[in-house]
Amino acid sequence: MATAADATPPSYHWAKAVKEFDESKMGVKGLSDSGITSIPEFFVHPPHALSDLKLISKTAGSLPVIDLAGLESADHRRVIIDQVKEAARTWGFFQVVNHGVPSPSSMKRFVPAFHDQPRDVKAKYYKREEGRGVMYASNNDLYRAEAASWHDSLQAWMGPEPLPPEELPEVCRREVAAWDGHARGVAEKVMELLSEGLGLERGRFKELTFSESRTFVGHCYPYCPEPDRTMGITPHTDPGIVTVLLQNGIKGLQVKHGGEWVEVSPVDGGLIINVGDFLQIVSNGEYKSVQHRVVANSEKEPRISIVMFFNLSKWRGSGHYGPLPELLSPERPAVYRDFTAQEFLDNFYSKGLDSKSFVEKIEIQN
């Protein structure tokens, strides 16, 4: 299969250019702010990856919007459980309103506050030590991906071990901690509904520590002078249990539904929730983790997304993961085999972002 590198001149040193960009610590925002009119070659994606960029469905509908008001009313809660279950089964994505997060619109400012700082201020956080602490970088899979994508990220592991506040950048320290609390509260509400949708006890997912291992990510998608030649983030699925996302008003997120790409329009005050690969496995395939992508930003204002990923914690003494045993029966046998955390990590860090390669790897073939 042809890659983006195949289309570049023989004199172009791909690996050298990537390394120089990474070591400059300027990020994509630094490139954008410099006023470039064409993007570096290692950001150019191959034609097959860009062929459907403009093929957006006009008939597939729009992301379900679920109102969480009235959760404590038994009758209304049953309606919301059914709505969440149906959205998680069919779309794998939905938006929630009346979720209890105060003034989510005002929270959108703290991620730009970090990314707008001078390069030398941000540079002390620039590194590639994934899986712990605080990391600012452009493309966490820069050295593993087929081509780089047009975004920078600030990442912080907030649990299960509490992150010392002084490790967070001062410009957004208080706000990241606040978002951690807000996002966790919303995730726990949604996890209760998802658990009940499977016929389990309301608190089963919390009991299984599904809200403890979590990662904050603040993505910045700056203006791109050639948005038709690259991606904001390539099509992928999230690996964890659920993801909670707050985005500003710049469009760009697209979700695969019914074989077509659907553009996600931000809902005022809304938060986006999506199912991760682990939840698909844990639910034995009842809930679906689906492909999504972000197109490169053609607007002068950066696109901002504030994310909390909830990852699978150890819930079996054996250290193995797989479908929840209480969901299995002779009539509903396991769709996926058990696996270890190391098996998952080896798969994740061996390549760039992709779509459910691990889910497919552990699927039991009949």
Side-chain angles (χ1 to χ4, degrees):
M1 179 176 68
T3 67
D6 297 331
T8 59
S11 60
Y12 183 75
H13 297 286
W14 188 273
K16 181 172 180 284
V18 169
K19 188 169 185 291
E20 287 176 351
F21 166 73
D22 195 35
E23 292 179 348
S24 76
K25 303 182 180 181
M26 72 188 305
V28 169
K29 191 168 190 304
L31 286 175
S32 180
D33 289 348
S34 72
I36 60 170
T37 56
S38 61
I39 62 176
E41 287 296 329
F42 61 88
F43 281 98
V44 178
H45 288 241
H48 71 85
L50 302 171
S51 60
D52 63 352
L53 272 186
K54 298 189 184 302
L55 297 179
I56 305 303
S57 175
K58 304 296 184 186
T59 59
S62 57
L63 225 58
V65 178
I66 299 173
D67 190 340
L68 298 185
L71 268 184
E72 299 315 311
S73 160
D75 289 343
H76 196 53
R77 186 180 185 86
R78 186 68 252 171
V79 172
I80 299 173
I81 290 169
D82 290 343
Q83 290 173 338
V84 166
K85 178 180 180 179
E86 181 65 13
R89 288 178 61 249
T90 57
W91 278 85
F93 267 79
F94 51 95
Q95 300 199 58
V96 294
V97 295
N98 291 318
H99 39 63
V101 177
S103 305
S105 297
S106 66
M107 296 189 67
K108 299 172 187 176
R109 304 188 191 107
F110 74 87
V111 169
F114 172 82
H115 289 286
D116 286 343
Q117 294 178 111
R119 185 200 310 191
D120 60 339
V121 176
K122 294 184 290 186
K124 64 181 179 180
Y125 297 100
Y126 196 100
K127 54 187 176 183
R128 296 205 173 272
E129 297 174 21
E130 297 178 78
R132 62 188 179 87
V134 177
M135 182 182 85
Y136 158 59
S138 184
N139 291 253
N140 76 312
D141 60 350
L142 182 66
Y143 292 99
R144 306 190 297 265
E146 184 177 31
S149 295
W150 202 255
H151 74 274
D152 298 330
S153 308
L154 173 66
Q155 176 177 297
W157 282 78
M158 307 302 291
E161 297 299 323
L163 180 70
E166 62 272 14
E167 289 191 23
L168 288 163
E170 186 175 1
V171 71
C172 59
R173 183 174 298 160
R174 184 178 61 186
E175 292 84 357
V176 170
W179 171 245
D180 180 39
H182 292 319
R184 184 174 185 174
V186 172
E188 288 181 346
K189 285 181 186 177
V190 171
M191 286 184 196
E192 286 183 354
L193 298 166
L194 289 165
S195 180
E196 291 177 272
L198 293 172
L200 305 175
E201 292 294 322
R202 177 189 295 200
R204 183 61 173 137
F205 284 3
K206 187 170 185 178
E207 176 189 321
L208 294 169
T209 70
F210 285 179
S211 63
E212 290 186 12
S213 181
R214 57 198 187 280
T215 312
F216 157 80
V217 178
H219 287 308
C220 175
Y221 303 87
Y223 165 71
C224 180
E226 295 184 292
D228 294 337
R229 301 185 72 204
T230 189
M231 295 289 300
I233 287 184
T234 53
H236 66 284
T237 56
D238 291 347
I241 295 291
V242 296
T243 302
V244 179
L245 165 68
L246 172 65
Q247 58 181 349
N248 68 354
I250 306 298
K251 292 183 180 180
L253 175 63
Q254 299 176 352
V255 172
K256 200 72 169 288
H257 179 67
E260 298 181 292
W261 287 107
V262 178
E263 185 173 69
V264 177
S265 297
V267 171
D268 187 38
L271 297 175
I272 294 172
I273 311 289
N274 68 277
V275 172
D277 292 346
F278 277 156
L279 182 54
Q280 177 168 330
I281 296 164
V282 163
S283 70
N284 201 37
E286 181 70 18
Y287 297 144
K288 299 296 188 292
S289 172
V290 303
Q291 276 188 310
H292 50 288
R293 68 185 183 185
V294 177
V295 296
N297 181 19
S298 60
E299 302 290 333
K300 293 299 183 181
E301 179 186 349
R303 181 181 185 273
I304 297 295
S305 63
I306 304 167
V307 194
M308 192 68 76
F309 295 98
F310 290 84
N311 308 301
L312 189 58
S313 297
K314 184 176 180 179
W315 58 271
R316 282 191 196 167
S318 64
H320 284 74
Y321 304 94
L324 282 173
E326 56 261 54
L327 297 178
L328 305 180
S329 67
E331 296 75 31
R332 180 68 171 164
V335 178
Y336 309 105
R337 65 170 175 81
D338 283 2
F339 61 95
T340 65
Q342 191 60 50
E343 191 178 358
F344 168 77
L345 292 171
D346 288 346
N347 181 79
F348 184 79
Y349 289 118
S350 66
K351 53 183 176 37
L353 290 176
D354 71 353
S355 299
K356 299 171 78 164
S357 67
F358 190 72
V359 172
E360 291 165 358
K361 186 178 293 186
I362 66 168
E363 188 172 359
I364 297 172
Q365 303 297 324
N366 293 323

